[in-house]
Amino acid sequence: MKLFLLVVMGFFAGAAWAADRADVLIADFEAKDYGQWKAEGEAFGPGPAQGTLPGQMPVTGYLGKGLVNSFFKGDDTTGKLTSPSLAIERKYINFLIGGGKNAEKSCINLLIDGKTVRTATGPNDRSGGSEELDWATWDVAEFAGKIAVIEIVDQAKGGWGHINIDHIVQSDQKKEASIVSDELYNETYRPQFHFSPRKNWTNDPNGLVYYQGEYHLFFQHNPFGIDWGNMTWGHAISPDLVHWKQLGNAIDPDKLGTIFSGSAVVDWNNTAGFQKGDEKTLVAIYTAAGGTSEQSKGQPFTQCIAYSTDAGKTWTKYEKNPVLQHIVGGNRDPKVVWYEPDKKWIMALYKDGSTFAFFSSADLKNWTHLHDIDVPGCGECPDFFQMPMDGGQKTKWVWTAANGQYLIGSFDGKRFTPDTKLQRADWGKNYYAVQTYSDTPDGRRIQIAWMNGGRYPKMPFNQQMSFPCEMKLRTTPQGLRIYRSPVKEIELLRAKELKWSNVTVKTGENPLAGVSGELLDIQAEIELGDASGFSFNTRGEIISYSAAEKKVTCLGASAPLEPVGKTIKLQILVDRSSIEVFGNDGEIAMTSCFLAKPGNKDLALTSTGGTIRVVSMQVYELKSAWR
Ligand code: FRU
């Protein structure tokens, strides 16, 4: 009998869960006042807010007209809002939440017997300049039948010192946050032909090295969070600089520090003595950022090495690390390059302020200081390499800083002597921590930057790399300059191709009418004629050229560009969250982030104040590199 009853009860309980009972509304905050909820302090005002409060960024995503918004009289007011007692009757409690990310300070809590059993905070700025509420869910099945209280707390002052809540409901259905993510690598703002980590934060590209058919891209990575922290070398490989496969992390934090930026080389001559068998050793030279973790408390910033004897698959830290002791402040970001005449390694290192140093070593383990350079306006992540002039036999040495700015000069194994002034490398808004590949099979000098400063609302990843570019050293009337253009491998992604030549475009005409695309490589040579300029519209963003100002403008940044003869050449790469513009075969480059509106795939080319002639134009629609 007992057994029978239990079975029947179990059946009913199961059936009831499965049948999804109707939702039980806890509060929708649509009334003028808080009703039976008790408000303490000032932050929650006299009753639910009717949307955005004075001085607040636009509040969106709530249901109906009212919501809890503790921005009453600004961020500094505090208070608490407590619900009447309620019985837990469903599997989940769903609610809309926005506002500050301050655990225990601006949050919503579920209390049972006076103890907090569930808590949630807002995300701070979730969607780039707006305060959007989104669904959150507590699984409360284990508390079925218990009496609970919900409290909404605002004890936070200053930036994001408030919380927004709406529509608290008990339900048998979980409400998924509307993260714009249908499938991995296909999320709304996921770069489709730029590298971004599967999940979480990245910043600088690290250890760019080619070996045995694989381009390695290590990257500053926070494996545990969407923001900067826990610096670790993430790792991805590619056969072609376009299709990337993310592997397990390569170098993890230890008691010397978290793992900051650095470089990697192939130790062809086994100078460090790590080689096993015939496989050449890859050596990574990185900064152990002492004091940036609990584990490394009290340690300074030093330079360390790790090596791989299996072509980059696994990495071992050198047991006698560090190989270069602390010199000053946050000294970091070692870039190592082979100097053939002396059969020595050369390291460029950032010291502090605007000072950088050079060191040499025969074995990657013992380093001798050569000299320092001071480069006002520059800091972090130096790069140092040799390049042929105009593709010929003569070479020059190039030094770059994190911002890509560069010096060209000579190097005799002991001293780098610049013979140009500092030159600008990019005119866009999101180009930093540049590094070039070591050991490329064809001698190309290939650079990748972190597109710092981009925003990726609701994405599972944060930040992306620029598209790899080939650099060339060219003689110009102004002296030697670096030209930078997307690597030719971009052709591997071409899906559709449209071509034009010798087309005149009068004011009001658009040769691209009817053409649309999401991922694009546009290449055009345009004769200015009597027009005062022209502009491309790609997915709602304008890339314009002004003949009077001799300037290209895109996403709020401008670059100087003189016509060659009478024409201007542009190459424009458009991805879901970036636009890169290259002028006159890489004379100027502009690397910028943006957020493409998913539905907007428009394209246009228009002239202003006269008629232009499209000498030639190709529009390539690109495939995603992830599928
Ligand atoms: C540059 C930088 C480097 C440092 C790394 C830490 O963006 O600040 O100097 O090594 O990022 O993530």
Side-chain angles (χ1 to χ4, degrees):
M1 176 64 183
K2 232 183 188 170
L3 183 70
F4 172 70
L5 253 185
L6 274 178
V7 170
V8 169
M9 277 171 63
F11 173 75
F12 277 115
W17 288 134
D20 284 348
R21 300 159 297 184
D23 287 359
V24 181
L25 183 70
I26 298 174
D28 62 5
F29 304 106
E30 289 303 305
K32 275 214 184 70
D33 55 29
Y34 288 117
Q36 289 176 24
W37 286 62
K38 189 174 103 198
E40 294 163 78
E42 233 192 330
F44 295 92
Q50 305 296 298
T52 311
L53 290 170
Q56 193 173 24
M57 289 199 295
V59 175
T60 57
Y62 54 96
L63 296 178
K65 295 209 162 93
L67 79 155
V68 175
N69 181 349
S70 75
F71 194 77
F72 188 73
K73 295 196 184 162
D75 269 326
D76 285 353
T77 50
T78 58
K80 188 158 104 176
L81 193 61
T82 311
S83 76
S85 297
L86 55 106
I88 305 284
E89 299 171 75
R90 297 289 185 271
K91 278 163 78 177
Y92 302 106
I93 294 179
N94 297 319
F95 49 90
L96 286 161
I97 186 165
K101 188 177 175 179
N102 303 289
E104 291 168 35
K105 284 199 156 168
S106 62
C107 52
I108 177 168
N109 301 324
L110 180 72
L111 281 79
I112 290 179
D113 297 332
K115 265 204 230 136
T116 301
V117 294
R118 296 286 183 273
T119 184
T121 70
N124 286 353
D125 189 353
R126 166 143 45 203
S127 43
S130 92
E131 297 206 18
E132 192 176 347
L133 279 70
D134 202 356
W135 288 107
T137 292
W138 288 328
D139 184 336
V140 293
E142 64 180 288
F143 306 120
K146 294 245 161 84
I147 302 299
V149 160
I150 291 174
E151 56 178 32
I152 305 172
V153 180
D154 179 1
Q155 291 303 329
K157 296 186 178 183
W160 289 105
H162 65 275
I163 181 151
N164 304 331
I165 297 286
D166 196 21
H167 210 80
I168 312 175
V169 68
Q170 297 205 50
S171 177
D172 286 329
Q173 288 288 325
K174 207 170 169 169
K175 276 276 192 190
E176 297 291 348
S178 56
I179 296 275
V180 209
S181 147
D182 39 5
E183 76 184 276
L184 184 66
Y185 292 121
N186 191 23
E187 301 90 346
T188 306
Y189 302 124
R190 171 74 76 173
Q192 296 296 294
F193 60 97
H194 292 75
F195 178 79
S196 61
R198 201 158 37 225
K199 226 180 129 186
N200 290 330
W201 171 268
T202 186
N203 50 298
D204 312 352
N206 295 153
L208 303 184
V209 65
Y210 174 90
Y211 183 63
Q212 304 273 1
E214 288 172 339
Y215 290 92
H216 292 266
L217 165 59
F218 301 89
F219 53 93
Q220 285 287 282
H221 188 36
N222 182 356
F224 310 113
I226 198 81
D227 296 318
W228 187 91
N230 307 303
M231 281 299 125
T232 299
W233 274 29
H235 189 192
I237 49 170
S238 171
D240 55 16
L241 295 162
V242 172
H243 298 91
W244 295 100
K245 183 171 155 202
Q246 188 174 340
L247 308 177
N249 295 329
I251 311 180
D252 288 320
D254 57 33
K255 60 183 194 320
L256 292 178
T258 60
I259 313 301
F260 273 23
S261 289
S263 51
V265 293
V266 183
D267 189 4
W268 293 107
N269 305 317
N270 193 22
T271 61
F274 294 131
Q275 192 170 319
K276 288 200 186 109
D278 290 340
E279 192 78 78
K280 298 296 173 193
T281 314
L282 300 186
V283 180
I285 309 93
Y286 63 90
T287 299
T292 54
S293 59
E294 194 56 39
Q295 216 191 349
S296 66
K297 246 189 186 159
Q299 295 288 336
F301 276 36
T302 58
Q303 316 315 318
C304 295
I305 59 177
Y307 59 93
S308 171
T309 53
D310 57 6
K313 285 183 201 65
T314 59
W315 290 81
T316 308
K317 287 175 190 145
Y318 176 45
E319 78 271 11
K320 294 198 185 126
N321 275 337
V323 292
L324 184 58
Q325 295 294 343
H326 179 247
I327 306 159
V328 62
N331 54 192
R332 60 182 179 276
D333 309 337
K335 165 68 184 199
V336 171
V337 59
W338 180 248
Y339 184 68
E340 181 60 26
D342 292 354
K343 304 249 181 282
K344 275 198 173 137
W345 299 102
I346 304 298
M347 179 197 290
L349 185 75
Y350 173 57
K351 283 176 78 173
D352 66 355
S354 52
T355 308
F356 296 80
F358 293 92
F359 296 83
S360 74
S361 170
D363 58 5
L364 295 163
K365 295 170 176 166
N366 299 286
W367 293 92
T368 309
H369 181 236
L370 298 175
H371 74 114
D372 286 357
I373 54 171
D374 186 55
V375 193
C378 291
E380 305 188 316
C381 306
D383 197 351
F384 190 51
F385 47 85
Q386 200 172 11
M387 284 185 86
M389 281 165 67
D390 300 305
Q393 293 301 310
K394 280 202 194 145
T395 65
K396 281 283 178 187
W397 282 81
V398 176
W399 176 94
T400 69
N403 59 16
Q405 297 191 16
Y406 60 94
L407 295 167
I408 303 170
S410 52
F411 183 65
D412 62 3
K414 292 191 177 60
R415 180 165 279 275
F416 171 58
T417 314
D419 46 39
T420 57
K421 277 199 250 157
L422 191 66
Q423 298 300 324
R424 187 157 175 175
D426 198 277
W427 301 81
K429 291 195 160 165
N430 308 93
Y431 174 79
Y432 197 69
V434 302
Q435 286 288 295
T436 61
Y437 268 92
S438 186
D439 301 284
T440 51
D442 45 12
R444 279 186 299 171
R445 185 53 54 186
I446 297 165
Q447 189 186 59
I448 296 182
W450 163 35
M451 298 188 77
N452 68 324
R455 293 153 83 93
Y456 307 86
K458 297 185 183 178
M459 293 294 105
F461 67 95
N462 194 359
Q463 307 297 301
Q464 67 175 313
M465 300 301 166
S466 66
F467 191 77
C469 280
E470 182 176 354
M471 297 164 91
K472 290 198 169 138
L473 196 54
R474 290 210 188 155
T475 308
T476 75
Q478 289 74 40
L480 281 173
R481 293 292 181 270
I482 290 176
Y483 279 53
R484 200 170 92 240
S485 301
V487 293
K488 64 176 186 311
E489 284 87 341
I490 194 160
E491 293 171 9
L492 297 170
L493 296 176
R494 287 180 185 169
K496 258 198 229 156
E497 173 178 345
L498 290 168
K499 285 189 173 181
W500 291 257
S501 60
N502 196 21
V503 181
T504 51
V505 182
K506 298 196 190 101
T507 315
E509 289 178 350
N510 171 21
L512 292 174
V515 182
S516 65
E518 188 196 11
L519 311 172
L520 298 158
D521 175 1
I522 301 167
Q523 300 177 16
E525 181 175 356
I526 290 170
E527 194 182 82
L528 288 163
D530 62 355
S532 59
F534 63 88
S535 25
F536 281 94
N537 180 338
T538 65
R539 309 193 61 189
E541 293 302 332
I542 305 294
I543 298 126
S544 61
Y545 184 75
S546 156
E549 292 177 278
K550 297 190 171 137
K551 264 187 2 193
V552 193
T553 300
C554 172
L555 290 163
S558 293
L561 191 64
E562 295 271 344
V564 176
K566 289 180 198 151
T567 71
I568 287 289
K569 275 193 190 174
L570 290 183
Q571 180 173 8
I572 306 168
L573 304 187
V574 184
D575 199 339
R576 289 188 184 171
S577 45
S578 66
I579 297 183
E580 286 148 301
V581 180
F582 303 87
N584 290 350
D585 299 313
E587 180 187 332
I588 59 105
M590 304 175 80
T591 305
S592 292
C593 293
F594 88 124
L595 295 175
K597 285 186 193 63
N600 187 338
K601 296 185 181 167
D602 296 350
L603 271 179
L605 167 62
T606 47
S607 72
T608 21
T611 301
I612 56 169
R613 186 171 71 91
V614 176
V615 180
S616 69
M617 177 162 69
Q618 295 87 40
V619 173
Y620 301 102
E621 203 176 329
L622 303 180
K623 295 179 271 201
S624 166
W626 299 111
R627 262 152 293 148

